[in-house]
Amino acid sequence: MELRDYVAVLRKYWRSITAVTVLGVLAATAFNYLITPTYTSTTALFFSVSGASSASDLAQGTTFTQKQVESYVQVATSPLVLQPAISKIPLATTPAALAQRIKVTVPTNTSVIEVAVVDHDPATAAAIADAIGSQLVTAVHDLSPDDGRGQKSVVATVITPATVPSAPTTPKVAQNLALGLLLGLFLGVGQAILRETLDTRIRTAADVAKVTDAPVIGRIGYDKAAAGRPGLAVDGADAGRAEAFRRLRTNLQYLDAGQGRRSFVITSSVADEGKTSTAVNIAGTLAAAGLRVLLIDADLRKPSIGRFLGLEDAVGLSTLLIGRAQLRDVLQTAGVPGFQVVASGPVPPNPSELLGSVAMSRLIETVTQQYDAVVIDAPPLLPVTDAAILSRMTSGALVVVGSGEVRTPQLAGALESLESVDGRVLGVVLNKLRGTNGGYGGYYYGRYEQGAEAHRPTARHASVEEPAGRQRETA
């Protein structure tokens, strides 16, 4: 992943990243609140040699004392010191248990011992440290050998008496909160990257470009209201959605330039990607531009164009293909001048055989000569091969990709099924785009994503084509 990919992930999952970060801070706050505070009180003792009569004796004594200090570190946590301290305070504990709460250190190159005592009560911590310091002075006096003149060779002196600590040693509130924030942020970003890596759903043109070089010729925003009602986008209240289909119409005309015929199969990888609504609206916008358009419902397994446009399904394509009706008998008008429809008719027991028959091939040849454009709504590619078969009889296929509805392996498999029969993929239509991905102006006038850019019409092309289309609508 490149830097811009990471930025895109952060923008996409910022809510979950924020939530995990907040949880990290809350966990640190709960830890600070639940943990019992501890206090540390420290006392320091200085060890010196007595009876030095010269600088040389003093230097030798200092060296001797520093070596002795290492031994007295062990003495400080021994029962010799701790048991009298426990009895003096008094404490309900043992020397071994108390030793676990004591830390004895010797600063480098010194003859000083620092005794730090940890306790949940600050006054008790100070009392223990003070008692240990006093008892250690006594122990040093008892253990230190005489210098031959009746004096002890090593003397311990308390130089820093223990004081009652004013602030707890643990928890370290600020430090824990900072760690909770950093850990939460790390986990939040980590889960976002993991989700993005594992999520193979196709949402943008960049995702499509990873699967195929076919151009993305249209982007249709998601309209929840339109999804629940039949009808054409050009007749709806969503001007942006209607404009998106008009731009798709313009791009189709450029793709089809010089082909001599205009017949398109509209399909998808799986169900519920919006192929039928796309087919209906492509046909409707072409008719609105003044073209004579025929829409054929070739989804003989789950036909829906009749319901979508409020037409009769009793007779239609299946009736026509078995020879029980003529084309003129099954044509219906969809409400837009020049827009005619062949509904599915009764659902047959052998859809694939009918759609791959010579009768279907002849029908497409006939209607291609009679109409300016023929739009065929076909079943999804992965469940059945109907759309792949039909793509060979027409100019090619438009593959509708429902944003967030289909995964990368599914789209790759669908396109492979078209390639296996030498079907032509005219382009991809991104449908059900949400949020910033569904913006119409940004798509049309902005720069296209990398991949197949040479195949895609620019805003300059569109500005030439669209006025002509609108003149035809007026006419």
Side-chain angles (χ1 to χ4, degrees), residues 36-41 117-119 165-173 176:
T36 303
T38 60
Y39 298 83
T40 302
S41 182
V117 179
V118 178
D119 196 88
S166 58
T169 307
T170 59
K172 297 179 180 179
V173 177
N176 291 340

Side-chain angles (χ1 to χ4, degrees), residues 26-387:
L26 291 177
T29 303
F31 177 80
N32 288 333
Y33 178 78
L34 295 175
I35 191 173
T36 303
T38 60
Y39 298 83
T40 302
S41 182
T42 304
T43 185
L45 293 85
F46 177 75
F47 292 75
S48 61
V49 63
S50 62
S53 59
S54 65
S56 175
D57 292 341
L58 182 61
Q60 292 178 358
T62 302
T63 303
F64 171 76
T65 303
Q66 290 178 350
K67 292 181 179 180
Q68 289 296 306
V69 163
E70 296 177 2
S71 299
Y72 289 124
V73 167
Q74 303 299 322
V75 174
T77 55
S78 68
L80 179 66
V81 172
L82 298 184
Q83 187 60 61
I86 291 173
S87 302
K88 181 180 179 180
I89 295 178
L91 293 174
T93 187
T94 63
L98 180 58
Q100 301 298 319
R101 296 153 52 190
I102 299 171
K103 184 178 181 181
V104 183
T105 58
V106 179
T108 305
N109 297 325
T110 69
S111 298
V112 176
I113 287 181
E114 294 179 347
V115 180
V117 179
V118 178
D119 196 88
H120 296 303
D121 179 63
T124 302
I128 296 173
D130 185 63
I132 292 174
S134 299
Q135 289 304 129
L136 186 56
V137 170
T138 302
V140 171
H141 182 272
D142 295 339
L143 296 175
S144 176
D146 291 339
D147 61 358
R149 291 173 292 182
Q151 295 182 352
K152 296 295 182 179
S153 59
V154 178
V155 177
T157 305
V158 176
I159 59 174
T160 304
T163 58
V164 178
S166 58
T169 307
T170 59
K172 297 179 180 179
V173 177
Q175 177 179 307
N176 291 340
L177 289 176
L179 288 175
L181 175 65
L182 292 176
L183 181 60
L185 185 61
F186 176 78
L187 292 176
V189 173
Q191 63 85 27
I193 295 175
L194 180 62
R195 288 172 61 186
E196 182 67 14
T197 302
L198 297 178
D199 186 5
T200 60
R201 285 178 292 182
I202 293 179
R203 291 187 173 88
T204 65
D207 297 330
V208 174
K210 297 175 183 177
V211 182
T212 177
D213 291 332
V216 176
I217 63 171
R219 294 186 185 182
I220 313 300
Y222 178 73
D223 184 354
K224 184 176 181 180
R229 68 172 186 268
L232 297 171
V234 292
D235 298 328
D238 190 343
R241 183 174 167 84
E243 184 64 22
F245 278 109
R246 283 193 286 268
R247 290 164 184 163
L248 173 56
R249 173 190 67 199
T250 299
N251 294 343
L252 270 176
Q253 292 171 346
Y254 276 96
L255 287 174
D256 193 47
Q259 294 298 317
R261 56 178 180 170
R262 294 182 180 179
S263 53
F264 315 112
V265 172
I266 311 297
T267 184
S268 61
S269 302
V270 294
D272 299 324
E273 293 189 68
K275 67 172 183 63
T276 297
S277 64
T278 302
V280 170
N281 281 288
I282 287 176
T285 51
L286 288 171
L291 302 180
R292 296 185 68 249
V293 180
L294 178 64
L295 173 63
I296 300 176
D297 189 351
D299 191 346
L300 298 182
R301 288 174 170 81
K302 292 182 63 177
S304 55
I305 285 181
R307 174 182 54 82
F308 198 96
L309 294 175
L311 302 177
E312 177 60 52
D313 263 334
V315 292
L317 180 62
S318 59
T319 315
L320 186 60
L321 293 179
I322 63 175
R324 293 189 177 180
Q326 299 296 318
L327 177 61
R328 61 177 178 273
D329 300 327
V330 298
L331 289 175
Q332 301 183 67
T333 302
V336 178
F339 184 11
Q340 293 186 307
V341 180
V342 174
S344 64
V347 176
N350 56 342
S352 295
E353 287 78 2
L354 284 181
L355 295 177
S357 65
V358 175
M360 184 67 187
S361 178
R362 290 175 178 173
L363 173 64
I364 293 176
E365 290 180 4
T366 300
V367 296
T368 300
Q369 300 299 322
Q370 296 178 1
Y371 292 87
D372 297 318
V374 177
V375 179
I376 302 174
D377 179 31
L381 286 160
L382 289 182
V384 292
T385 61
D386 300 354

